[in-house]
Amino acid sequence: MTTEVYRLSPEDIDSGIIQKAGEVIRRGGLVAFPTETVYGLGGDALNSEASKKIYAAKGRPSDNPLIVHIAEEDALIPLVREVPEKGRLLMHAFWPGPLTLIFRKTEMVPPETSGGLPTVAVRMPVDPIAAALIRASGGYIAAPSANSSGRPSPTTAEHVVRDLDGRIDMILDGGPCDIGLESTIVDLTEDVPVILRPGFINEEMLKEVLGEVKLDPGLLDAGANAGIRPKAPGMRYRHYAPKAPLAIVEGEAREVTEALKTLAGKAILDGKRVGILASDDTARDLAETFLPGMPGAAERLYLCPAGSRAEEQTIARHLFAILREFDDAGVDLIYAESFKTPELGMAIMNRLLKAAGHRVILAADAISEGDM
Ligand code: TXA
Ligand code: MG
């Protein structure tokens, strides 16, 4: 299959292209499209054959349900058994936007779309290209992130081409995504709503609207929670992992910089190529104080600044692209700074810990081992 790619300007959307893409989806085909979070791989959510094609194109297990994307709030009504009051509050506060809500589903949602679950995930994106495409496609688009299963979610059309070229009908290129991390998922089927996946809409923002919100204990894969399975099936799979092993270096900023120098120095002396994912602040420090004095570092250190520590949105926006870059650069191992930033820290660290398979190094330990 030849995948057609069309460039679209979010400010001046070409309606001819949108109509063409809408027709592809109406007749059961697949179109990747931009949203404010990440690129989605869209098919008709009410057509079970289209959902099957989505799983096949991504190489995704079919028990991992898809999110249904709508463009009007009223479109929600026939999909779900009821809209709890807390759901209304969240929709009012955050739709259209990067928030996915889980409801009990009706017969209208085919089991293929909901991965066999009695519930359905629904989201109303704010991205104007996404909204136009949903309207042109009949109002219901099932769309997982448009990566092949296990890879980081795509934040540019080029990422989608890399993963899915030849496997889908069309890609709409609307430029890089604003947020760069997938939507927050909140489960409304329990009395107290539960965050199943952290995202741009953070715990604080949800609490402001709801008063009370819980965090899925399966997300905190440590201590007493170790071994509890996350409720969102997709959160259980290995994900985002670059080909090279990745470890997160945790500690106070100065210590982390020192630890990165120790760890990277050791690897470079061993003849390895090292990738470093760091804040601009740390990267600048490494470039000034480490690179010049370290023989071999210029060729063997692949330093990727994600954004300044004070601008967490920039770090979030660049995270997935950098994880993909490490694969292209062919590094042997990767160290990442820990980003426990105030607002997006939970969402960023959730993705990074998955990418690292939860490998965390304490900066203080790395420094003291380096001294021995
Ligand atoms: O930002 C986003 O949400 C992007 C864009 C394209 O909208 N989409 C996205 O879809 O991230 P996907 O399929 O990559 O992730 C959806 C997640 C998976 O972890 C899936 O298991 C979970 O949502 N999910 C879907 N339906 C669910 C349900 N009924 N109950 C629990 N989890 C569900
Ligand atoms: Mg995904």
Side-chain angles (χ1 to χ4, degrees):
M1 164 189 305
T2 309
T3 303
E4 292 179 82
V5 182
Y6 293 98
R7 170 91 213 166
L8 279 173
S9 156
E11 287 81 40
D12 179 22
I13 298 171
D14 184 327
S15 59
I17 296 174
I18 291 291
Q19 285 319 311
K20 204 170 143 119
E23 262 160 49
V24 170
I25 291 185
R26 282 171 191 269
R27 62 168 172 75
L30 303 186
V31 177
F33 61 99
T35 81
E36 66 275 21
T37 56
V38 300
Y39 273 75
L41 174 57
D44 181 351
L46 309 182
N47 175 347
S48 54
E49 292 308 314
S51 291
K52 285 186 199 162
K53 280 193 201 169
I54 293 178
Y55 291 108
K58 278 181 65 94
R60 170 170 176 150
S62 57
D63 61 353
N64 185 5
L66 310 175
I67 297 175
V68 178
H69 293 63
I70 57 176
E72 333 282 341
E73 277 191 17
D74 285 350
L76 174 70
I77 306 306
L79 296 178
V80 303
R81 297 268 194 94
E82 77 264 293
V83 181
E85 180 54 25
K86 288 168 184 165
R88 285 186 201 288
L89 292 173
L90 291 176
M91 287 158 63
H92 182 71
F94 303 116
W95 276 11
L99 177 68
T100 295
L101 298 173
I102 310 275
F103 302 89
R104 270 179 261 277
K105 81 173 191 74
T106 62
E107 296 297 304
M108 188 176 171
V109 183
E112 286 78 7
T113 302
S114 68
L117 293 178
T119 52
V120 62
V122 186
R123 155 158 142 75
M124 182 167 154
V126 70
D127 182 282
I129 296 175
L133 179 66
I134 295 164
R135 290 192 181 104
S137 305
Y140 298 97
I141 294 186
S145 50
N147 51 286
S148 49
S149 192
R151 298 264 288 155
S153 296
T155 53
T156 66
E158 290 73 40
H159 296 160
V160 183
V161 172
R162 270 298 189 88
D163 282 14
L164 299 177
D165 191 26
R167 305 174 72 90
I168 62 177
D169 298 282
M170 194 183 280
I171 298 173
L172 301 181
D173 177 357
C177 300
D178 277 349
I179 294 176
L181 300 177
E182 309 87 342
S183 60
T184 307
I185 302 179
V186 174
D187 182 1
L188 294 168
T189 65
E190 300 191 25
D191 286 341
V192 178
V194 185
I195 300 173
L196 303 188
R197 177 171 74 183
F200 180 86
I201 307 292
N202 64 22
E203 194 175 6
E204 207 51 43
M205 293 156 83
L206 294 167
K207 276 194 178 145
E208 241 166 68
V209 174
L210 295 173
E212 198 185 358
V213 64
K214 284 193 203 155
L215 195 60
D216 180 5
L219 291 179
L220 310 163
D221 187 24
N225 294 305
I228 298 183
R229 274 155 58 96
K231 187 165 180 188
M235 302 296 280
R236 295 171 198 155
Y237 296 104
R238 193 181 133 87
H239 214 175
Y240 313 124
K243 291 180 190 131
L246 161 64
I248 300 170
V249 182
E250 213 167 77
E252 179 261 313
R254 281 234 55 84
E255 273 182 344
V256 168
T257 310
E258 285 316 305
L260 287 172
K261 290 180 194 172
T262 307
L263 293 164
K266 223 184 280 174
I268 289 166
L269 286 176
D270 283 350
K272 297 201 172 112
R273 285 170 56 77
V274 193
I276 291 189
L277 163 59
S279 62
D280 288 1
D281 321 63
T282 304
R284 197 175 311 115
D285 194 335
L286 292 175
E288 283 167 9
T289 64
F290 174 72
L291 279 173
M294 181 75 211
E299 303 81 47
R300 300 213 192 100
L301 184 69
Y302 192 75
L303 187 55
C304 289
S308 99
R309 233 177 265 127
E311 288 169 29
E312 29 180 341
Q313 293 194 21
T314 310
I315 295 172
R317 194 181 301 131
H318 292 155
L319 182 69
F320 289 151
I322 292 176
L323 291 177
R324 283 174 175 263
E325 265 184 53
F326 288 132
D327 284 351
D328 298 340
V331 296
D332 300 305
L333 72 173
I334 306 165
Y335 294 111
E337 180 173 342
S338 169
F339 297 103
K340 293 193 169 156
T341 55
E343 275 153 35
L344 296 181
M346 190 191 283
I348 294 173
M349 290 312 291
N350 169 263
R351 302 333 187 258
L352 202 51
L353 280 161
K354 279 181 82 129
H358 290 264
R359 265 187 300 272
V360 177
I361 297 173
L362 295 179
D365 291 350
I367 298 167
S368 63
E369 272 171 39
D371 286 343
M372 284 195 296

